[in-house]
Amino acid sequence: MAGGRQLRFWLIGLVVFVAALWVLREVLLPFVAGMAIAYFLDPVADRLQKWGLSRLMATVVVTAGIVAVLVAALLLLVPLLQAQVMSFLVRLPGYIDMLREAAEPIIQMGVERLPPDQVETLRTQASGFIGNALAFVGTVLKGLLSGGFALLNLLSLVFITPVVAFYQLRDWDRMVTKVDNWLPREHADTIRAQFREIDQTLAGFIRGQASVCLVLGAFYAIGLSVVGLDLGLLVGLGAGIISFVPYLGTISGFVVGIGLALAQFDTYTPVALVAGVFVAGQMIEGNFLTPKLVGDRIGLHPVWVIFALLAGGALFGFVGILLAVPVAAVVGVLARFFLGQYLNSPYFQGRGGARRDLPPPPPAAPDAT
């Protein structure tokens, strides 16, 4: 097959694959989630195989262990979260009164300094803003109930994903071998090299970042609970989980935690302690967790990850979010590969084949002073 026909063949295959993702995006969630779980747990199953277990037994042991950990976590966390939420709801009217008393002098000062017509305009705009905000919340809830998080999809995620993950984990090595046998023989070594780099990138980011999220979630939850913040467990776990998106977890957790602390406490010392928890968590993440668990050579820039997550979510919903990081890794690896091909090609080096050095930069202008 000529090079042009081969390229055309793979481009058509890529278009068909993307079109299939788009058409089937509503039913792909449990399968994509199951594949992600199988990929995440494959090294554990491989390790058990090296210790003498069959692949089937290794898959059973890994699956049973994960289910046991999840059940234990739910049995431990759900009562604590329920107690914190109920306590917060009981104290919520008092928090609202406290915020109203604190804001009333500031509002009164503004009202006294503004003309009556501007005060009425501000009241009208505030009423319209509240109405728009409530309508937006209703639209979001309606979209969640009728879109990707509908009851059917949620049930499929709960019941189908473990089954898909089990079978894919059991057959993972067999599927990899099958795909390897389908590679075009002429370029098989090159494709294998790119897949190895993609696997290293994903392993370094997904498995490492998941470990960072778990550690940060535990640190924030324990720290905020020790400080005495209402909903501290929920805020800490949420901040740790969404730390998968660079900087988003710490920033959102900091803002929510400080807001709750200002409404709950009469003094600024607990507020400072809440801020200190997030500052300490960020320092631990930047100086220890990320360098040790993720590394600095994964090839995925935080801005590229954020863009991939936003683009994937906008195009394919939650399925797109799950696929965003793998696609970002593939695009990054392929971009570096084609850049290397370009730098070694006549398009960059010239027709003579020898790399032409760039001219030296011009000398700096003399200081006018």
Side-chain angles (χ1 to χ4, degrees):
M1 183 182 292
R5 293 179 59 191
Q6 208 170 29
L7 179 61
R8 190 161 53 248
F9 171 80
W10 289 112
L11 287 178
I12 293 174
L14 178 62
V15 171
V16 172
F17 176 73
V18 174
L21 283 180
W22 176 261
V23 173
L24 301 174
R25 64 188 184 277
E26 296 295 336
V27 298
L28 283 179
L29 179 57
F31 301 95
V32 174
M35 181 175 291
I37 294 172
Y39 175 79
F40 188 84
L41 298 176
D42 179 63
V44 181
D46 291 341
R47 180 65 59 86
L48 293 177
Q49 277 188 283
K50 291 181 181 179
W51 290 349
L53 294 180
S54 64
R55 184 69 184 190
L56 177 59
M57 287 303 302
T59 303
V60 171
V61 171
V62 172
T63 305
I66 293 299
V67 171
V69 170
L70 291 178
V71 170
L74 290 176
L75 292 177
L76 177 65
L77 293 178
V78 169
L80 295 176
L81 292 175
Q82 183 180 8
Q84 286 199 354
V85 171
M86 295 303 297
S87 175
F88 177 77
L89 292 177
V90 170
R91 300 180 186 180
L92 183 59
Y95 294 158
I96 295 176
D97 293 337
M98 185 186 304
L99 291 176
R100 183 185 297 113
E101 292 176 1
E104 187 174 352
I106 301 176
I107 296 175
Q108 187 64 31
M109 185 184 301
V111 169
E112 292 175 353
R113 294 185 178 183
L114 291 176
D117 55 340
Q118 293 187 7
V119 173
E120 186 63 29
T121 301
L122 289 176
R123 288 177 178 173
T124 303
Q125 292 178 351
S127 301
F129 175 78
I130 294 174
N132 292 333
L134 293 176
F136 175 76
V137 171
T139 303
V140 171
L141 292 176
K142 181 180 178 181
L144 290 177
L145 292 176
S146 61
F149 285 98
L151 180 60
L152 181 61
N153 286 339
L154 182 60
L155 292 176
S156 67
L157 184 66
V158 172
F159 293 105
I160 297 179
T161 298
V163 178
V164 174
F166 176 84
Y167 282 107
Q168 288 189 335
L169 181 60
R170 187 196 65 177
D171 300 331
W172 188 266
D173 294 338
R174 190 183 308 170
M175 291 188 298
V176 171
T177 303
K178 182 68 69 175
V179 172
D180 182 79
N181 292 331
W182 292 342
L183 298 178
R185 298 297 94 184
E186 183 181 358
H187 305 290
D189 292 338
T190 302
I191 297 175
R192 290 190 191 108
Q194 302 313 306
F195 271 113
R196 282 194 295 269
E197 187 172 351
I198 291 171
D199 179 64
Q200 292 174 359
T201 302
L202 286 178
F205 184 83
I206 295 181
R207 295 175 182 139
Q209 194 65 38
S211 302
V212 171
C213 291
L214 291 176
V215 175
L216 279 181
F219 177 82
Y220 289 146
I222 295 173
L224 296 178
S225 298
V226 170
V227 171
L229 181 69
D230 286 345
L231 297 181
L233 184 62
L234 182 61
V235 173
L237 291 177
I241 292 173
I242 62 176
S243 292
F244 193 83
V245 182
Y247 310 115
L248 179 62
T250 300
I251 294 175
S252 59
F254 181 85
V255 172
V256 174
I258 292 297
L260 290 174
L262 289 174
Q264 176 181 350
F265 301 112
D266 296 330
T267 62
Y268 288 104
T269 300
V271 178
L273 291 176
V274 170
V277 169
F278 286 100
V279 172
Q282 186 62 32
M283 293 177 61
I284 293 173
E285 177 190 3
N287 296 321
F288 178 75
L289 293 179
T290 299
K292 296 295 183 182
L293 299 178
V294 180
D296 56 356
R297 293 187 296 177
I298 58 173
L300 289 178
H301 194 276
V303 175
W304 175 234
V305 174
I306 295 173
F307 172 79
L309 291 170
L310 292 177
L315 293 175
F316 298 101
F318 193 69
V319 175
I321 294 176
L322 292 178
L323 292 174
V325 174
V327 171
V330 171
V331 172
V333 170
L334 294 181
R336 290 192 293 270
F337 172 74
F338 286 116
L339 179 60
Q341 296 294 107
Y342 162 72
L343 294 177
N344 291 320
S345 70
Y347 294 102
F348 176 78
Q349 298 181 6
R351 295 182 179 180
R355 176 172 294 187
R356 293 180 295 181
D357 295 332
L358 296 177
D367 193 351
T369 59

